[in-house]
Every structure is written in structure tokens, then in C-alpha cells.
Amino acid sequence: MATAAAASASEAEAEPKAGPKAEGEEAEAKEARTRRKVLSRAVAAATYKTVGPEWDQQEEGVSESDGDEEYAMASSAESSPGEYEWEYDEEEKNQLEIERLEEQLSINVYDYNCHVDLIRLLRLEGELTKVRMARQKMSEIFPLTEELWLEWLHDEISMALDGLDREHVYDLFEKAVKDYICPNIWLEYGQYSVGGIGQKGGLEKVRSVFERALSSVGLHMTKGLAIWEAYREFESAIVEAARPIAGFLSPFDREQTFDSQLEKVHSLFRRQLAIPLYDMEATFAEYEEWSEDPIPESVIQNYNKALQQLEKYKPYEETLLQAEAPRLAEYQAYIDFEMKIGDPARIQLIFERALVENCLVPDLWIRYSQYLDRQLKVKDLVLSVHSRAVRNCPWTVALWSRYLLAMERHGVEHRVISVTFEKALSAGFIQATDYVEIWQAYLDYLRRRVDFKQDSSKELEELRSAFARALEYLKQEVEERFSESGDPSCLIMQNWARIEARLCNNMQKARELWDSIMTKGNAKYANMWLEYYNLERAHGDTQHCRKALHRAVQCTSDYPEHVCEVLLTMERTEGTLEDWDIAVQKTETRLARVNEQRIKAAEKEAALAQQEEEKVEQRKRARAEKKALKKKKKTRGSDKSRADEDDEKEWGDDAEEQPSKRRRVENSVPPAGEAELGPEADPGLSGSSAPAAAEPPSEQKEQRAAARRRDVPRVLHDSSKDGVTVFVSNLPYGLREPAATLRPLFEACGDVVEVRPIFSNRGDFRGYCYVEFKEEAVALRALELDRQTVEGRPMFVSPCVDKSKNPDFKVFRYSTALEKHKLFVSGLPFSCTKEELEEICKAHGTVKDIRLVTNRAGKPKGLAYVEYENESQASQAVLKMDGMTIKENVIKVAISNPPQRKAPEKPEARKAPGVAVVPRQIYGARGKGRTQLSLLPRALQRPSATAAQAENGPATPAATEVPKMSNADFAKLLLRK
């Protein structure tokens, strides 16, 4: 059915341009003239057949068959496939493709595109019988689009030869107008019925079709005009055809016939001018020209009132004309406007117009059916809409449940409801819980049919068998398909037990059901035991209540105190002393065991927390020792270089400077005193009088960092002021003056005592700060600034909580649950801005928020979250945007369903009793970099214990560790021969 989504949604409702100067006006005028000519000739032919040879046939030069041929040519001229000459190999290729499509449909009858392709090829090959059968099968499964129906109708019209064929075409038209509201199909229906005006009851048939068309699409502001004009032209043609035969009638009959026919045309004009339609001014002018008498004042008043209404509707119609399909947001705004006005006919019409383009939006069908259920309550209309809804969106369980309720509400036969339920089971829901919901709806319906005053009845047996079948179905079908039951709390079984206990007085069956419920993993939950206890309390006896509570005390693991309290309360009011002693003993034993387990768990948590703290301290000490060692090495290097310089001055030639030293001096920046000597100064003098060499760059960085650390004061947070302090996070890291930037924002809430930004040891802003207020009420108001944007980044404002005292307090700003109104977009180009993405997304609905995902430096990661106003808009955006190309990047769009955030794995959790802990892979100082080089000579490398074990079998006792070698040891190795 997902394939049908793309096919049906692509059939956009092509709205014409507003006003008399719309595009294609000449083509429409030409079509209208052709239609008028066909109508006139058909009416003339029917009149000749009625009156006889007295009326001169040559005056009109047309017969009934000519009228049918004229209409067939006019109605099928555009859709005739034409004559193509196919070669033999192409015909053979088409036949093979037809066989392949038929085989594929035998496997999966719900393949929408396969149906369409098969019909196209069969029509191309001229297989008329097979085409008709293929179309019939497709129409039984799917609602057909306007294009498919018109093509089918034109083919059947061209093949209609006699009255039986005409009746078959009439039946097809009746089916076509039930799928969707299609003004063009109604227009074709009216024109085709004109061709049968000469048959018995033909005139009444034509008028009936046109009247139904007006009630269905006559209020359509952009397309309803064509129906009104066609109907009026038909009645005008009747008037023109009646003029020649007026001489054959008596004066009284002539006056009665002619005047009544003229009144029908007048009535059509007046009815049309009383409703708001485009191009009303031209219709009014035409009426003035056609009418021999002045237009009544009441008609003019209704016309002016309709013009005023037209001005109210025009903004919504123009918005639809400018938007692109499926235009769901525009239609929803239009529906809201019509619902406020409250005209049922117009509300029904706008819903139908919206569903033509959004037939795969379940929420729209639900809203439409809900309006009909609560407001109109017309049986045929309500059931028709529910039936169409489940045909378009069979995967939505809510539509099936509403359909069953509507059928029961309107008194549909039990057999029909049962068949509908079986169809729902085969619809293919997407979640296991959907099957539980549809079973519950059907079981509720069966329960309402039972008369429980009787001990046994056919309906009661059917209800019990349905409960048993539901449990078997969920176990066999649903669990195998979804690998889950869909009903972990056994709601269906609970309802069955309640019905048996309360309505059938069969506690034995209820107890059996509750035993089965407890064996399915529910015995550890206190609420399940209390539900069973309440049922026993109301419909059972004290002995079974006591038995249930004793079992609950032993089995409950989530809230054992609760069930213990309930047991003691019951024994205090109803039990004997012996019962009380047994209950106290059992509850004390159970609670002591529970408290012991909780103490052990708390000790384990404390031990883990202490281990974490010790590891943190060890890492801090290791970093401090590493820094001290680096600093010590640098000082030794500087002392050694100064010693080398002294040796060179003592033993070397002072006149010749080493090349390396000269290069270092030339590339360094000369001191200020040296720069003043100029290029003519004596090198010897400059060398002897120059100050000490500049410090290395690494030492300069250390000095600058140390100076910066001295400048940054340490921020100590006072936990006693948490009530008047808020914690602000997710701020831009490049914020230059955080305190000056944030103070005006928070002063709008009240008096700010201090803004304390947090800096790193290097003096960089860490992206969060504390804001302290004078009063607690001001701090609470400041929490409302959460998510306010600061330099393009949402600011998070949360209560200030000491996590050492409240380790469970966590604030994660973004939801990790399924959000059907929010989309996750990936594959975006890094250059895509928020405004560009919003421009693309707002074409499919109202965009409430867009969040571009960035890294800590604020650079985009090519990901985004787009939040729409509702679920239906998001589903439409997924259909239209998934696979879209943006700046040569193909994006992926899906409903937001991020994975659950996992807590960091604790070290003790990986330890199993009796299993040695495998150390994690140790990486170098640069992490997992593959470009690291080992600087130890190969001759000195020794295979590790794990490598020896892998190569030589089971590991031997651990080898002695290779001793560390000094520089003297290396020298001995190099001098050894």
C-alpha cells in the first residue's frame, strides 16, 4: 500500500486560475461550445423521437445514433490511444511483460504500480476483456484516481452498443463518483446521460445526475461552475427544442409546457447566483442578457451576499492556487475556517477536496469521520466515508476501530461487522499493539451484544470463543511476526477475567485466567497483584484474597511494602490472631530481606562511586607528574645547551661560528639594541655585546598560559545558594564577554546578584555559567528563558542542583523517544543554513522549529531536526523530501526516533565471577592513530604474552619483564662486534 501512496498523492487537484482571465480560457470556451453543440443535438434527437415525423428532421440533421456517435467522439477524442503499428518482437516483449506482471500480482495483490502497468500494457495490446478484468480487480482493492477512472470510462463508452452496455457504463460512473470527489467525472457522467435522453425515463435520468452533481461539487468555487453551466445548457437546449413543436400543441398546453421549461432555466440561474463561485459577474451578466424580464430584487440581494462571501473565501482559494500539491497545511487552514462558519455542505466539500490530494493521511480521515459521526450522523454518508478511509489507509488501526464503532452505532448486521473485522486482521498493521487494539474493539462489540441475564446464550459463547481466539492469534501470529506479544500486561485476558467474574459470576474461570496472567512475567509487579486482589475482594471470598496477598508478598519486587501493608490491613479487619501472626511474620521476613538487598546495592553503588573518585584522583596525579617531568626535562635541556656553549667558547675557535648556530641566530628576531647597530656594525662586537638568546617558543607558550591562568580567578560555587541560582549551559564557546552578554537577558526576570562564567585552566570559556539572583521567585522566572537563542545557539537554563548529593538528577534537553511530528534529516551539505532548510521544509507544512546539529566548536555536522505542527505534516514531508538533492547532496529524511542514551558502563559490571578481566587495548599518546611509528629497534623488541599465546598455543607462565636499559647499555650494544 506504500506504493499507492506515491501514485495517489501525485494525482494533484489541478486548480484553474482565478477570475475570467484565467489561462487556457480559449480552450475552455472551445470545449464549452462543443459541449453545447452536443447537448443541443442530443436533445433535438430525443425530441424528434418523441414527437414523430411531424417535426422536420432535416432542420437539425441529426439522429439518435448520430448523437451517440457525436458524444462518443467528443468524450473520447483526447483519450483515444491512437493506432500504432507494433513489430512482432515488440508484441512478444509486451506479452512476456504481461505474463510477468500477472505472476507478480498472484504473489502480491497489493502491488499498486503492478496493477497500473498491467492495465497499460493490456490496453496497448487491445486485450479488451483482460483490461476490463484487470481494472475490476484493481478497483476492488484500491480506490482509483480520476485519471484511471476517466480512461476506463472512455474505453467502455466507445464499446457500448446497446442499452445493456449503457447500463454497464452507468454502473461504472456510480462506482467512480464514490472513490473521490471528481468534478470532471461528474461532468462526464452528465454529458453521457444526455445521450440516453431518448430512452424511457431518459430526461429524468439526466436531471437526476445533474442534481446529484450539484449537491456533490456545485459549491466547488473553482470547478463547480462547469457543472452549473452544463446543466443550464441542457435545460436551455430543451427550451430551444420545444419551440418548433409548440405549434402542434393547444394554446393551453403550449403555455404550460413552455413556461415550465423556462422556469427551470430561471431557477438554475437564481440558484447559481446565490452561492459564491468564481466568475460570478459573467454569470450575472449572462442572466441579464438571457432574461426578458427584469431580475427580481431578491435575486440581486442573494447575488450581492454571495459576492461578499466570495471575498472571504478568496484568500484561502488563492493560497491553494499558489501552493504545490499535496497542500495539506493550506487545506487544514481552510477546514478550520469552514468549521468556524459551520455550513455542513461546505465542510464536507472542503474535506473531500483535501482528501483527493492527501488520501494517505490518516489524521485527515479521522478528523473527517469524527465530524460526520458527531455532527451529520447520516448513515449512508458516515459508513461510506469510513469505508473509503480504510481502503486508503488500511494500515491505520484507529480507522478500523472507528469503522466498527460506526457500523454498530448505525445498526449494521452482525455478519457484515464480522467480515469487516476479518478484513482488518488481514490489513497488515505495522505494530504488534495495533492487533491488540483491534481485538479489543471487536471484543467490546461482542460483549455489548450479550444479554448477561441469561445463564447461557449464543452470543455469550461467541464472546468466549472470540476471547480464546484472540489469545491464540496474538500468540501464534503476532509474536512470530514481531517477536513480541504486543500485550505484555495481558489486557485482553484481564478484561475476560473481569467479564467472567462480574457479569457471568464465574470466579473459577477468572482465577484460572489470573493464574495464566501471573505466569507470563507479571508476578513481580505489585499493581497486578492488587488488581487480582480487588477482583477477589469484590466477587470472590476472603480465603482466596488472603492466598493472593501471601503470594504477592513473596513475588513482588517493585513495591513489596505496598502489598505487605494491604495484607496487614486485611488481617487487622477480618483475620484471626493466628492469621495476624502469620502475616506479620511473612511481611517482616520479606521486608528484612528486601532491606538487606537494598543495603547491599547501596554499598555496591558507593563502592563504585569511590572507585570512580579514586580513578579521577589517580588521573589527576598522573597528569601532574607528567607535566612536572616535562618541565624537568626542559630545564635539563636548557642547562645542557648552556654548558655546551661554554665548552665551545673554551676549546673552539671564537672567530668561526658553527653553521647551525649562525642559522639559528639569523632566523631569530634580533633584540632591540642589536637592531639599532645597523648592517655596518662589527660582527664581533655585536656578538660579544648581544644579550642572551631568545627563549624557545614552547617556553614562551608555557609562560603565556601560566600568566593567563594567574589572570583567571577560580569560581567557587556556594551550594547553599542553589535556590536562588540557575545553571546556564550550551552557550557558544567563542562568547567573548559571557557576563556582559547574559546579564541583560536575566535582568529582565529580576535583580541579578552575579553572573559567574566558568573558564578552563587556559582561560577559555567552557560554555556554561552560574547566574545568582536575590530572590528564589526570580530564579524560577529565569527558568522560562530556557531554549532562548544566544548568538545562534539555544541556551539551556536549569535548576542548580548538587549532583554529588543528587546523582540521579539528569537534564537532557532533547527527547530520545519516538516523535512522530519531528523529522531527522541527514546528509545535508555543511554550507546549508537554517533559513535555506526552513524554506524547503515549510512547503510541506508549518515548521515550528529547526535545529542544526553542530559539534563543540559550533561547526555543522550535516544533521538537523525539523519539528512540524502535527504528525500528518511530518509524514507528508517524509514522503516528499526523502531522497531529495540539496546542493548535490542526497539527503535522508525519517521520523525522529533516536536511540536511548546509555549510561556509562561501570567497571565492575564487566567482571564475571571466575573469569579474568581482559584489559582494554592500550593506545599511544595519539589514541588510535594508525600512523604511529615504533622507535624501538627490532632487535630489542620482544613479543608480548598475548602474541606468544596466539602463536605457540596455551600461554606459559608469565615471562620476566625486560629490564630497562640505560644509555651506557645501548653504547655497549653498539660497540659489540
Side-chain angles (χ1 to χ4, degrees):
M1 195 64 187
T3 314
S8 299
S10 63
E11 299 297 329
E13 181 183 354
E15 301 280 359
K17 297 292 182 181
K21 296 183 179 181
E23 295 182 2
E25 184 177 3
E26 295 182 359
E28 292 181 0
K30 184 177 180 181
E31 182 181 355
R33 287 195 297 271
T34 304
R35 191 189 312 116
R36 188 180 294 110
K37 184 177 179 181
V38 171
L39 287 169
S40 301
R41 291 185 176 180
V43 172
T47 308
Y48 168 77
K49 184 174 181 180
T50 304
V51 176
E54 291 85 357
W55 184 41
D56 188 7
Q57 175 184 347
Q58 294 181 355
E59 184 173 331
E60 293 295 331
V62 69
S63 65
E64 179 188 3
S65 60
D66 293 337
D68 288 346
E69 291 176 3
E70 288 273 1
Y71 174 73
M73 293 174 59
S75 62
S76 61
E78 296 181 358
S79 64
S80 59
E83 296 182 1
Y84 298 92
E85 296 181 359
W86 299 96
E87 297 182 359
Y88 177 76
D89 55 346
E90 292 181 350
E91 292 181 357
E92 185 177 1
K93 181 179 178 181
N94 290 341
Q95 289 295 333
L96 292 175
E97 181 67 13
I98 289 172
E99 293 177 1
R100 186 190 69 80
L101 292 174
E102 289 176 344
E103 182 179 359
Q104 185 172 346
L105 284 177
S106 65
I107 299 173
N108 179 19
V109 74
Y110 291 98
D111 192 336
Y112 187 92
N113 289 335
C114 190
H115 281 282
V116 175
D117 294 340
L118 178 61
I119 292 171
R120 179 182 56 82
L121 285 176
L122 290 174
R123 189 168 185 263
L124 194 63
E125 291 295 314
E127 300 284 349
L128 302 181
T129 305
K130 290 185 177 181
V131 170
R132 181 178 292 175
M133 294 176 60
R135 284 167 169 164
Q136 185 67 29
K137 289 181 180 178
M138 184 178 181
S139 65
E140 291 174 357
I141 302 172
F142 301 108
L144 303 186
T145 61
E146 180 179 344
E147 181 183 2
L148 292 175
W149 270 120
L150 288 176
E151 184 181 79
W152 188 1
L153 290 167
H154 290 163
D155 289 347
E156 294 292 342
I157 289 171
S158 63
M159 293 186 295
L161 300 176
D162 53 15
L164 294 177
D165 293 338
R166 178 172 289 274
E167 291 298 325
H168 172 66
V169 175
Y170 284 154
D171 293 338
L172 282 182
F173 270 113
E174 291 296 332
K175 292 180 181 179
V177 296
K178 290 179 181 178
D179 277 351
Y180 303 109
I181 178 173
C182 299
N184 292 333
I185 293 180
W186 276 112
L187 189 61
E188 289 282 342
Y189 194 6
Q191 291 177 350
Y192 182 73
S193 63
V194 171
I197 193 175
Q199 297 180 349
K200 183 179 180 180
L203 183 60
E204 289 75 11
K205 174 71 174 178
V206 175
R207 285 174 175 163
S208 173
V209 170
F210 274 117
E211 287 294 338
R212 290 170 56 202
L214 290 180
S215 64
S216 178
V217 296
L219 298 178
H220 199 303
M221 293 187 62
T222 55
K223 293 189 174 182
L225 181 63
I227 303 294
W228 284 101
E229 289 184 347
Y231 193 9
R232 204 172 59 247
E233 288 167 4
F234 166 73
E235 295 293 352
S236 299
I238 294 291
V239 173
E240 295 298 327
R243 291 182 187 275
I245 66 174
F248 299 99
L249 302 175
S250 63
F252 178 77
D253 293 340
R254 179 169 61 248
E255 182 178 357
Q256 291 290 329
T257 303
F258 196 71
D259 291 347
S260 63
Q261 189 59 40
L262 283 177
E263 183 58 30
K264 286 184 173 61
V265 181
H266 277 288
S267 176
L268 286 175
F269 268 116
R270 294 167 185 170
R271 289 166 58 189
Q272 180 180 350
L273 293 174
I275 60 176
L277 294 173
Y278 273 119
D279 207 13
M280 291 184 63
E281 295 83 355
T283 304
F284 186 78
E286 183 181 354
Y287 187 30
E288 286 183 324
E289 181 181 355
W290 181 85
S291 178
E292 298 177 355
D293 300 328
I295 299 178
E297 185 64 26
S298 60
V299 176
I300 297 177
Q301 290 178 359
N302 292 335
Y303 167 70
N304 292 329
K305 185 178 179 180
L307 281 177
Q308 295 176 359
Q309 293 178 347
L310 179 63
E311 293 302 321
K312 296 180 181 179
Y313 291 118
K314 265 187 177 180
Y316 296 95
E317 293 290 345
E318 290 173 357
T319 303
L320 287 175
L321 292 173
Q322 295 170 2
E324 296 182 359
R327 303 180 283 192
L328 180 60
E330 290 78 9
Y331 274 120
Q332 287 179 335
Y334 205 164
I335 290 171
D336 294 337
F337 173 73
E338 292 285 10
M339 295 282 274
K340 291 179 181 178
I341 296 178
D343 185 353
R346 297 200 64 88
I347 293 173
Q348 182 185 352
L349 176 65
I350 192 60
F351 268 117
E352 293 288 352
R353 289 177 61 184
L355 287 169
V356 171
E357 299 181 19
N358 300 277
C359 59
L360 302 178
V361 180
D363 289 346
L364 191 58
W365 284 107
I366 291 175
R367 188 179 181 187
Y368 185 24
S369 59
Q370 181 176 327
Y371 168 77
L372 296 178
D373 288 334
R374 297 178 180 178
Q375 301 296 328
L376 294 186
K377 301 180 181 179
V378 180
K379 177 179 178 181
D380 294 337
L381 178 60
V382 170
L383 296 181
S384 173
V385 170
H386 279 289
S387 176
R388 291 162 54 206
V390 296
R391 289 188 71 199
N392 283 274
C393 305
W395 62 87
T396 307
V397 67
L399 293 175
W400 287 101
S401 300
R402 289 173 175 273
Y403 191 14
L404 294 177
L405 288 172
M407 296 174 77
E408 181 185 2
R409 193 177 294 117
H410 291 281
V412 179
E413 295 181 3
H414 172 62
R415 179 183 56 82
V416 178
I417 297 179
S418 299
V419 171
T420 304
F421 169 70
E422 296 298 333
K423 290 181 180 178
L425 287 181
S426 61
F429 299 129
I430 58 178
Q431 294 179 352
T433 54
D434 293 342
Y435 288 94
V436 179
E437 182 177 346
I438 193 64
W439 269 110
Q440 283 183 322
Y442 184 60
L443 291 170
D444 292 343
Y445 157 72
L446 293 179
R447 195 265 308 164
R448 288 188 286 266
R449 296 181 67 244
V450 179
D451 182 9
F452 290 99
K453 295 179 181 179
Q454 302 178 6
D455 294 337
S456 179
S457 63
K458 180 181 178 182
E459 290 79 6
L460 180 58
E461 295 303 321
E462 184 178 3
L463 174 62
R464 284 172 172 165
S465 62
F467 268 114
R469 183 189 167 204
L471 298 178
E472 186 68 20
Y473 186 90
L474 293 177
K475 181 180 179 181
Q476 297 293 334
E477 302 291 337
V478 178
E479 288 188 15
E480 290 182 1
R481 178 180 172 189
F482 297 97
S483 299
E484 59 176 316
S485 66
D487 190 12
S489 299
C490 301
L491 297 177
I492 291 180
M493 208 176 296
Q494 289 187 46
N495 291 334
W496 190 4
R498 294 189 190 100
I499 291 173
E500 292 289 350
R502 296 175 182 174
L503 301 178
C504 300
N505 298 320
N506 188 357
M507 275 304 300
Q508 183 62 33
K509 180 63 176 179
R511 293 183 185 115
E512 292 176 3
L513 291 171
W514 270 105
D515 288 340
S516 179
I517 291 172
M518 292 307 180
T519 58
K520 293 183 180 296
N522 293 299
K524 59 184 177 180
Y525 300 117
N527 64 323
M528 300 296 288
W529 283 109
L530 294 179
E531 182 71 24
Y532 179 26
Y533 166 74
N534 291 330
L535 193 66
E536 282 284 0
R537 189 77 173 169
H539 306 282
D541 51 48
T542 305
Q543 187 64 30
H544 284 90
C545 289
R546 181 177 290 110
K547 183 179 179 181
L549 288 178
H550 279 290
R551 292 174 60 192
V553 169
Q554 297 298 326
C555 300
T556 302
S557 60
D558 54 351
Y559 299 105
E561 298 90 349
H562 197 177
V563 294
C564 290
E565 182 181 355
V566 174
L567 175 59
L568 293 176
T569 302
M570 189 193 77
E571 299 297 359
R572 180 178 285 112
T573 57
E574 300 181 20
T576 63
L577 178 60
E578 183 181 359
D579 295 331
W580 171 260
D581 291 339
I582 295 174
V584 170
Q585 182 180 357
K586 284 195 173 184
T587 54
E588 287 180 353
T589 304
R590 175 60 176 162
L591 292 179
R593 192 183 312 124
V594 169
N595 290 331
E596 184 181 352
Q597 292 174 354
R598 290 176 179 174
I599 291 173
K600 289 183 179 179
E603 291 176 352
K604 187 176 180 180
E605 289 291 332
L608 291 175
Q610 186 176 0
Q611 290 179 4
E612 290 293 333
E613 291 179 0
E614 291 176 356
K615 288 186 177 181
V616 171
E617 291 296 329
Q618 290 177 2
R619 286 195 293 268
K620 287 183 179 180
R621 287 196 297 268
R623 283 197 296 266
E625 292 174 359
K626 189 176 181 181
K627 289 182 180 179
L629 184 61
K630 285 184 178 180
K631 194 171 183 180
K632 188 175 181 181
K633 286 182 178 180
K634 289 179 181 178
T635 55
R636 287 180 179 177
S638 60
D639 294 341
K640 184 177 179 181
S641 61
R642 281 194 289 270
D644 292 341
E645 289 177 3
D646 294 339
D647 292 341
E648 288 176 2
K649 287 181 181 180
E650 183 177 354
W651 300 103
D653 188 358
D654 292 341
E656 293 185 5
E657 189 177 7
Q658 294 295 332
S660 61
K661 292 184 179 180
R662 185 184 302 115
R663 190 180 303 114
R664 184 175 61 191
V665 173
E666 289 174 355
N667 293 334
S668 62
V669 180
E674 184 178 350
E676 294 176 356
L677 295 175
E680 297 180 358
D682 189 355
L685 295 175
S686 63
S688 60
S689 61
E695 296 180 357
S698 59
E699 294 186 7
Q700 294 178 6
K701 290 182 180 179
E702 287 287 338
Q703 292 177 359
R704 285 197 296 270
R708 204 181 301 126
R709 283 196 292 271
R710 288 193 297 270
D711 294 340
V712 177
R714 289 194 52 89
V715 177
L716 298 177
H717 176 62
D718 187 1
S719 59
S720 63
K721 297 182 179 180
D722 286 347
V724 294
T725 307
V726 297
F727 181 69
V728 185
S729 59
N730 202 47
L731 295 169
Y733 294 94
L735 207 60
R736 294 181 178 274
E737 298 292 338
T741 304
L742 297 177
R743 181 175 285 272
L745 294 176
F746 288 97
E747 283 181 344
C749 303
D751 296 334
V752 177
V753 176
E754 185 183 9
V755 178
R756 299 192 296 274
I758 308 301
F759 296 90
S760 65
N761 292 333
R762 298 175 56 186
D764 299 326
F765 179 50
R766 299 186 66 179
Y768 57 90
C769 65
Y770 296 92
V771 182
E772 182 182 341
F773 300 92
K774 285 186 177 181
E775 300 176 357
E776 185 175 354
V778 180
L780 294 176
R781 285 199 298 270
L783 296 176
E784 298 177 359
L785 298 178
D786 186 41
R787 300 299 184 98
Q788 184 166 334
T789 304
V790 176
E791 293 190 4
R793 193 181 183 99
M795 170 181 66
F796 296 161
V797 184
S798 56
C800 190
V801 177
D802 188 357
K803 290 189 177 181
S804 63
K805 299 179 181 179
N806 299 276
D808 296 332
F809 180 81
K810 295 180 181 179
V811 177
F812 184 65
R813 297 292 171 174
Y814 300 111
S815 174
T816 58
L818 175 64
E819 298 175 283
K820 296 184 179 181
H821 67 289
K822 187 180 291 186
L823 304 182
F824 175 68
V825 185
S826 60
L828 289 169
F830 294 150
S831 60
C832 182
T833 63
K834 182 178 179 180
E835 291 74 16
E836 293 174 348
L837 183 58
E838 183 177 6
E839 189 67 26
I840 296 172
C841 296
K842 71 181 183 181
H844 310 293
T846 304
V847 178
K848 295 181 64 177
D849 184 34
I850 291 181
R851 177 166 64 91
L852 294 178
V853 182
T854 60
N855 57 15
R856 292 177 63 87
K859 296 181 180 179
K861 299 174 69 174
L863 309 174
Y865 288 91
V866 182
E867 182 179 356
Y868 279 94
E869 193 172 34
N870 52 48
E871 175 186 349
S872 58
Q873 295 180 3
S875 61
Q876 285 295 309
V878 170
L879 292 175
K880 296 298 181 183
M881 292 177 57
D882 189 30
M884 178 186 292
T885 302
I886 300 179
K887 296 182 180 180
E888 299 181 356
N889 282 38
V890 179
I891 66 173
K892 294 182 179 180
V893 183
I895 298 296
S896 176
N897 189 14
Q900 295 294 327
R901 294 176 63 85
K902 298 180 180 179
E905 187 179 2
K906 297 178 181 178
E908 296 296 324
R910 294 194 298 267
K911 293 184 179 180
V915 181
V917 178
V918 180
R920 298 184 63 177
Q921 186 175 354
I922 300 175
Y923 301 104
R926 297 176 59 190
K928 299 181 181 180
R930 296 182 180 178
T931 59
Q932 299 181 58
L933 300 177
S934 177
L935 300 180
L936 184 66
R938 291 183 181 177
L940 303 179
Q941 290 182 359
R942 297 288 185 271
S944 62
T946 56
Q949 180 179 358
E951 294 177 3
N952 304 324
T956 57
T960 58
E961 186 178 359
V962 179
K964 295 183 180 179
M965 303 181 70
S966 63
N967 291 337
D969 295 330
F970 277 109
K972 291 178 182 179
L973 287 173
L974 294 173
L975 293 175
R976 185 181 302 168
K977 295 183 180 178

